[in-house]
């Protein structure tokens, strides 16, 4: 009976999703083709490319699926909006919006945006496409909710090459950071109920990205390099220099969430920065923080963060948000392994967006079904007493930074 119930639940969820998105596909034959392709992405084909999906669906050739992705009339961005709304509905409010990019290893030179560029997928410079993504994560699950294809300058400066790949003339060069900011604006404008944003240092070190989040009233915890500059009226310091001055009892042993082997425990230190009189109201509604995460097994292994959080938030909550960034890596892995996110054979710009969006929807369905089981609560720990004669000072229940005692690093022309 349990198996029958699970199958019934699966079928009901699929039919609910098909009903939700049917209006994006105006012709009946197009809707049925989409259903076959979508079911194939969730099926057991060894690879989710055109021929194997067609064979799995009982089609003689992949021509119908190729038309679905390349030439038929439907709006992938409208479907993306449906994916985002569906994920928000199934996972609930108060989650974390996570920004990251992933690579799609490709051969040849004709696929839109392909080129030799670094990708974490292979950990080296490779011939690949890069997609900038957003995931939404709550205690109920996590799923991808937005995407943009990164186009290197080698593409956007060659309009003939762009036209051959069906890249719109109005699509110019945009950095990954600019694409990320567009995604954040779109998610928040559409009402995604995120409370926090997190990202790795590629995005976290971008002042414009952090400032946008502050203007939108979003809390964030973003990774930054150890050379990140911290500016105050007293001068400019590197974040690693500030963390080195943290007293021993400023470090707290906290879980930043559960991993595959249980709670992920690190030592964390965090301190509030002085208010920025150029941007902050009086009294401030949020505080900016510097933070660090130290490995228990290798204390020399330290990661650094900047944060922006409502005044009542403490380090344990910031650690939880920082730890949620792993969720997008899980999304990439599951969407690639289970839903064929990276197994497409399309070369055109529109084909990339259409396949990726359908794969995101398939992954969202898996997430929604898994969310029925719920997730375990997250733990937290308390702090202890301060030491004296340090720029790290206790204020209420948390730490703040006064002017550092060492000489500031000389930086001829400070940047943001």
């Amino acid at each position: 009976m349990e198996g029958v119930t699970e199958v019934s639940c699966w079928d009901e969820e699929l039919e609910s999703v098909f009903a939700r998105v049917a209006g994006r596909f105006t012709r009946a034959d197009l809707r049925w083709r989409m259903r076959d392709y979508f079911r194939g992405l969730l099926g057991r084909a060894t690879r989710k490319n055109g021929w194997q999906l067609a064979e799995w669906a009982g089609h003689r050739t992949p021509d119908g699926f190729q038309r679905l992705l390349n030439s038929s009339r439907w709006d992938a961005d409208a479907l993306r909006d449906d994916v985002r709304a569906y994920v928000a509905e199934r996972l609930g409010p108060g989650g974390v919006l996570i920004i990251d990019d992933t690579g799609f290893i490709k051969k040849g030179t004709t696929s839109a945006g392909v080129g030799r560029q670094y990708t974490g997928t292979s950990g080296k410079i490779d011939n690949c496409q890069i997609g900038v993504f957003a995931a939404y994560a709550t205690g109920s699950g996590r799923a991808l909710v937005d995407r943009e294809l990164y186009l290197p300058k080698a593409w956007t400066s060659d309009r003939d090459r762009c036209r051959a790949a069906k890249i719109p003339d109005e699509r110019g060069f945009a950095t990954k950071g600019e694409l990320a900011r567009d995604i954040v604006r779109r998610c928040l404008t559409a009402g995604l109920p995120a409370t926090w944003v997190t990202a790795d240092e590629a995005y976290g070190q971008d002042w414009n990205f952090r400032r946008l989040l502050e203007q939108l009233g979003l809390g964030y915890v973003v990774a930054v390099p150890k050379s990140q500059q911290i500016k105050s009226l007293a001068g400019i310091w590197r974040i690693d220099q500030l963390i080195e001055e943290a007293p021993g009892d400023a470090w707290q042993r906290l879980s930043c969430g559960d991993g595959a082997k249980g709670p992920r425990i690190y030592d964390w230190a965090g301190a509030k920065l002085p208010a920025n009189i150029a941007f902050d109201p009086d009294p401030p509604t949020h505080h900016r923080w510097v933070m660090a995460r130290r490995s228990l097994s290798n204390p020399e292994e330290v990661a650094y963060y900047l944060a922006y959080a409502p005044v009542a938030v403490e380090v344990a909550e910031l650690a939880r948000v920082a730890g949620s960034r792993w969720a997008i890596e899980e999304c990439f892995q599951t969407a690639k392994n289970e839903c064929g996110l990276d197994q497409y054979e399309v070369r055109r710009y529109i084909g990339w967006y259409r396949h990726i969006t359908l794969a995101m929807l398939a992954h969202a369905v898996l997430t929604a079904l898994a969310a029925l089981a719920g997730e375990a609560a997250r733990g937290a720990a308390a702090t202890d007493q301060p030491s004296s004669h340090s720029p790290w000072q206790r204020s209420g229940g948390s730490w703040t930074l006064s002017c550092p005692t060492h000489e500031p690093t000389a930086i001829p022309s400070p940047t943001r």
Side-chain angles (χ1 to χ4, degrees):
M1 283 300 294
E2 183 177 348
V4 173
T5 302
E6 289 178 356
V7 170
S8 176
C9 179
W10 175 275
D11 286 341
E12 288 176 4
E13 192 67 21
L14 281 184
E15 290 305 318
S16 171
V17 168
F18 289 145
R20 179 187 289 263
V21 304
R24 306 303 184 187
F25 304 86
T26 55
R27 297 198 325 264
D29 62 324
L30 192 56
R31 287 195 292 273
W32 284 107
R33 196 171 298 140
M34 178 276 294
R35 288 169 69 106
D36 285 349
Y37 191 85
F38 184 81
R39 285 183 178 275
L41 293 175
L42 291 170
R44 297 182 178 179
T46 306
R47 283 188 59 80
K48 309 295 175 71
N49 57 36
W51 274 104
Q52 293 205 26
L53 290 179
E55 182 179 337
W56 189 90
H59 299 186
R60 288 181 297 175
T61 71
D63 294 355
F65 288 162
Q66 290 171 356
R67 289 194 297 273
L68 173 72
L69 298 180
N70 291 314
S71 60
S72 55
R73 296 183 62 182
W74 60 279
D75 187 345
D77 285 348
L79 184 64
R80 171 208 63 204
D81 295 343
D82 290 338
V83 173
R84 183 177 55 234
Y86 171 69
V87 170
E89 179 182 304
R90 290 295 189 267
L91 299 187
V96 182
L97 185 66
I98 311 161
I99 303 295
D100 202 356
D101 52 72
T102 190
F104 302 90
I105 309 301
K106 295 294 171 184
K107 297 179 180 179
T109 61
T110 58
S111 298
V114 74
R116 290 195 59 78
Q117 48 198 327
Y118 177 82
T119 171
T121 301
S122 61
K124 62 181 181 179
I125 294 175
D126 223 326
N127 197 60
C128 64
Q129 296 166 297
I130 299 290
V132 179
F133 286 81
Y136 181 65
T138 71
S140 298
R142 70 282 309 163
L144 300 171
V145 293
D146 210 332
R147 74 290 178 265
E148 287 288 356
L149 178 63
Y150 171 68
L151 299 178
K153 288 183 179 179
W155 274 86
T156 56
S157 61
D158 187 343
R159 299 319 301 182
D160 289 338
R161 189 184 188 192
C162 285
R163 292 187 186 102
K166 303 301 181 183
I167 297 171
D169 287 340
E170 62 271 18
R171 176 68 195 271
F173 176 73
T175 66
K176 297 183 186 76
E178 288 170 334
L179 297 177
R181 296 200 295 273
D182 288 342
I183 286 173
V184 169
R185 289 189 194 97
R186 195 156 55 222
C187 287
L188 272 293
T189 300
L192 185 74
T195 304
W196 295 95
V197 174
T198 190
D200 69 13
E201 65 182 48
Y203 301 95
Q205 65 184 325
D206 180 356
W207 182 89
N208 292 301
F209 180 70
R210 300 196 308 272
R211 183 61 189 146
L212 171 66
L213 301 179
E214 293 176 9
Q215 290 171 330
L216 293 172
L218 280 171
Y220 62 74
V221 183
V222 292
V224 294
K226 66 180 182 180
S227 58
Q228 178 69 41
Q229 299 171 17
I230 307 300
K231 300 168 72 173
S232 78
L233 296 176
I236 301 173
W237 290 266
R238 285 170 49 123
I239 193 170
D240 59 345
Q241 294 174 332
L242 291 177
I243 294 301
E244 284 175 3
E245 295 215 9
D249 49 3
W251 292 89
Q252 308 175 51
R253 191 150 295 180
L254 300 168
S255 168
C256 61
D258 290 338
K261 299 180 180 180
R264 291 169 296 148
I265 307 295
Y266 295 90
D267 285 335
W268 292 84
K272 298 173 185 175
L273 291 166
N276 187 321
I277 59 175
F279 299 132
D280 298 336
D282 186 15
T285 59
H286 290 69
H287 290 304
R288 293 176 189 82
W289 294 69
V290 294
M291 292 179 58
R293 184 198 71 199
R294 188 173 65 193
S295 169
L296 302 186
S297 58
N298 181 11
E300 299 300 315
E301 184 181 305
V302 180
Y304 301 94
Y305 300 86
L306 293 177
Y308 179 76
V311 293
V313 168
E314 297 184 355
V315 174
E317 174 68 359
L318 300 179
R320 182 194 69 80
V321 175
S324 68
R325 196 182 69 79
W326 67 273
I328 196 168
E329 299 295 342
E330 183 184 80
C331 288
F332 289 148
Q333 181 178 358
T334 304
K336 289 179 178 182
N337 292 344
E338 304 296 333
C339 305
L341 185 75
D342 62 342
Q343 295 173 21
Y344 54 88
E345 294 177 340
V346 294
R347 292 186 174 89
R348 294 179 176 180
Y349 180 84
I350 192 173
W352 186 88
Y353 276 93
R354 287 178 169 184
H355 169 84
I356 292 295
T357 308
L358 286 166
M360 285 167 53
L361 181 59
H363 177 252
V365 169
L366 295 182
T367 298
L369 291 167
L372 296 175
E375 288 194 355
R378 304 179 186 275
T383 61
D384 212 342
Q385 294 294 318
S387 61
S388 59
H389 307 296
S390 168
W392 289 63
Q393 301 296 329
R394 175 77 75 178
S395 177
S398 60
W399 292 85
T400 60
L401 280 174
S402 58
C403 294
T405 54
H406 57 74
E407 291 298 319
T409 302
I411 302 176
S413 57
T415 62
R416 291 167 174 166

